[in-house]
Amino acid sequence: MPEDTVFDRILSGEIPCDSVFSDELCLAFRDIQPVAPVHILIIPRKRLESLNSSTEADESLLGHLLITATKIAKQEGLKDWRAVINTGSEAGQTVFHLHVHLIGGRALKWPPG
């Protein structure tokens, strides 16, 4: 298995986080380098490096991550928000453990990058 990422260390409890949601499939916490007033990371407990490493067997987990993003957005009082999944280093992925960025709380521009 690849070397542990910072997200593996958060999941193990080795590194603390500002958790906003947790269940048997995922953990959500506030990003320590937010790009908006609300910037939450949602990570699966199952180690997947990126969407590229997911398979059909992960379909329900991937759906769960997006439904969880919707629940958290409501919990945070967001009407408009963005979900981002960077896949690969050229797309901006810096931690190679699949994660969803939930971003909101201000007007977001397009295109983002």
Side-chain angles (χ1 to χ4, degrees), residues 34-86:
V35 299
V38 176
H39 188 167
I40 295 169
L41 302 176
I42 305 162
I43 62 173
R45 294 186 183 279
K46 176 183 178 181
R47 173 74 177 272
L48 291 170
E49 284 192 12
S50 71
L51 282 177
N52 283 335
S53 59
S54 65
T55 68
E56 288 184 21
D58 300 310
E59 183 176 358
S60 64
L61 173 61
L62 297 175
H64 181 76
L65 295 175
L66 295 178
I67 294 299
T68 298
T70 300
K71 289 178 186 176
I72 295 168
K74 288 178 186 173
Q75 172 184 304
E76 294 290 316
L78 298 176
K79 178 181 170 229
D80 300 314
W81 52 279
R82 182 175 291 161
V84 176
I85 303 173
N86 299 318

Side-chain angles (χ1 to χ4, degrees), residues 23-43:
D23 68 12
E24 67 281 354
L25 297 177
C26 67
L27 173 67
F29 52 92
R30 296 190 191 285
D31 194 307
I32 62 170
Q33 296 179 319
V35 299
V38 176
H39 188 167
I40 295 169
L41 302 176
I42 305 162
I43 62 173

